[in-house]
Amino acid sequence: MTTILGIETSCDETAAAVVRDGHDVLSSVVSSQVDLHARYGGVVPELASRAHVQLLTPVIAESMVEAGVGENDIDAVAATVGPGLIGSLLVGVAAAKAMALVWGVPFVAVNHLEAHFVAAFLEEPELRPPLVVLLVSGGHTLLVEVKEIGHYRVLGGTIDDAAGEAFDKVARYLGLGYPGGPAIDREAAKGDPEAIRFPRAMLDEGLDFSFSGLKTSVINYVRKHPDVSTVDVCASFQQAVVEVLVAKARRAAREIGAAGMALAGGVAANSQLRTHLLDACEADGLQAFLPSRAMCTDNAAMVGAAAWYRLRDHGPTPLDAGADPNLRIPLTA
Ligand code: KG4
Ligand code: ZN
């Protein structure tokens, strides 16, 4: 039995969790800084790092109390080392190394993207690879083949804005506030998705994405038609994003002969994306997995789980390993 304390501070959530043997989540505490950044319309890196410094110790303490474990029960301490905001990452990494050193247990470095993939398995242990995971968040848009935990192949990604970034930028332009995804999701439900035909960039080309042209086209349309109904703009924009995401995920699954598809990242909370992906899986005879909202967004349970596999396959991480804001998905055969 291996009990791991996982720490996540890559962006604007301060999170700690206690996870046993890679699947048993004893606790998962997330303190969101969204209110802190809302007035600026996006995450302010310096404010995020300072908030992590203030919040991390109480969040860790809460995660251990909630799990009913003491320091003697912890077998390893893990932290996200990238990708993310460097100042934010360093807070979690420094804390994890210090605790590992004081408690005399291994430190385990975790790749944030890998943690998102492992999250799918945490809620659905029956999930069978090969799997296509569509990771869509404020910072990432990736289609990845998961051959098994620890073995990934990037199939496609965005060449400009991330999907969540497009939601946030369009929402900001429409005056819907931050974060924009949930606001657009809500407004879109009241509008007509066929009202405006926004472009579907690169729909028939490969497995990469582009969302920056779509954002510009929404802005230009609203400028030209100031009286247009906001709910119709939201519904039509969302439809364009979801159609491209689902079409490419489907093509990816076909190309690799996947057994199923899973969603990850904050945009995976989008109601239209969830129903369309589910319909696509049903039509193509694929297993679908849509994690809960808490498991889609940043949390430390996925870090504690990913760390267990890392420790099993690669052993502890040396304490002189640093944080890397541009860390990529581990390249494996
Ligand atoms: O994974 P996440 O919490 O943070 C990172 O970006 O790492 O994702 C946040 C992103 C934001 O861009 C937010 O607007 C988007 O996820 N989002 C949504 C929805 N809920 C959150 N986008 C579309 N529909 C939603 N319901
Ligand atoms: Zn994330």
Side-chain angles (χ1 to χ4, degrees):
M1 202 167 65
T2 305
T3 306
I4 298 184
L5 169 65
I7 294 173
E8 159 62 44
T9 62
S10 66
C11 189
D12 62 340
E13 327 279 354
T14 312
V18 179
V19 184
R20 200 159 266 166
D21 297 335
H23 58 80
D24 195 3
V25 180
L26 304 187
S27 68
S28 178
V29 178
V30 180
S31 173
S32 170
Q33 304 174 9
V34 71
D35 296 339
L36 177 70
H37 301 285
R39 57 190 288 214
Y40 303 102
V43 177
V44 183
E46 176 60 20
L47 291 183
S49 329
R50 290 186 203 191
H52 286 307
V53 170
Q54 283 176 340
L55 294 167
L56 188 55
T57 307
V59 164
I60 290 172
E62 193 180 331
S63 74
M64 291 180 63
V65 170
E66 212 172 90
V69 298
E71 56 184 69
N72 292 331
D73 303 310
I74 302 292
D75 300 306
V77 186
T80 298
V81 297
L85 301 169
I86 186 65
S88 292
L89 289 166
L90 285 172
V91 177
V93 171
K97 286 180 181 174
M99 279 183 291
L101 202 59
V102 171
W103 294 343
V105 296
F107 162 67
V108 187
V110 170
N111 181 316
H112 183 78
L113 301 170
E114 176 168 31
H116 271 300
F117 308 148
V118 173
F121 292 85
L122 253 183
E123 283 187 338
E124 190 56 83
E126 298 303 309
L127 213 54
R128 290 284 165 264
L131 205 68
V132 164
V133 178
L134 174 63
L135 170 59
V136 271
S137 71
H140 308 283
T141 303
L142 277 177
L143 264 176
V144 175
E145 174 184 6
V146 178
K147 298 179 182 181
E148 58 179 303
I149 292 182
H151 291 263
Y152 315 103
R153 184 160 64 104
V154 178
L155 303 169
T158 182
I159 60 165
D160 41 56
D161 290 352
E165 197 179 349
F167 271 94
D168 292 337
K169 286 179 174 170
V170 167
R172 191 202 296 209
Y173 182 74
L174 297 174
L176 296 174
Y178 172 84
I184 290 193
D185 198 348
R186 234 179 1 254
E187 296 302 307
K190 301 177 236 162
D192 174 9
E194 310 297 336
I196 310 153
R197 182 74 193 172
F198 288 125
R200 273 77 167 145
M202 305 171 71
L203 187 59
D204 300 314
E205 289 163 54
L207 296 172
D208 284 334
F209 303 90
S210 165
F211 292 112
S212 122
L214 171 60
K215 167 200 69 194
T216 310
S217 138
V218 172
I219 293 173
N220 288 341
Y221 188 92
V222 176
R223 262 197 205 129
K224 258 194 226 149
H225 307 87
D227 297 329
V228 66
S229 126
T230 300
V231 291
D232 284 348
V233 174
C234 288
S236 303
F237 160 75
Q238 181 175 279
Q239 171 96 334
V241 175
V242 168
E243 200 178 301
V244 176
L245 289 175
V246 173
K248 302 238 172 183
R250 241 174 145 164
R251 188 178 310 145
R254 224 175 8 248
E255 280 181 16
I256 67 156
M261 292 203 265
L263 282 178
V267 183
N270 185 268
S271 34
Q272 195 184 2
L273 177 59
R274 294 175 84 90
T275 39
H276 283 217
L277 195 86
L278 212 54
D279 291 347
C281 283
E282 215 167 284
D284 295 354
L286 297 169
Q287 207 186 355
F289 186 59
L290 313 178
S292 66
R293 166 136 180 77
M295 201 45 85
C296 289
T297 51
D298 290 349
N299 65 83
M302 65 185 193
V303 175
W308 184 82
Y309 293 97
R310 280 260 119 197
L311 194 59
R312 183 193 67 182
D313 299 340
H314 303 278
T317 307
L319 283 175
D320 59 2
D324 180 355
N326 302 312
L327 192 64
R328 295 180 171 252
I329 291 167
L331 294 174
T332 48

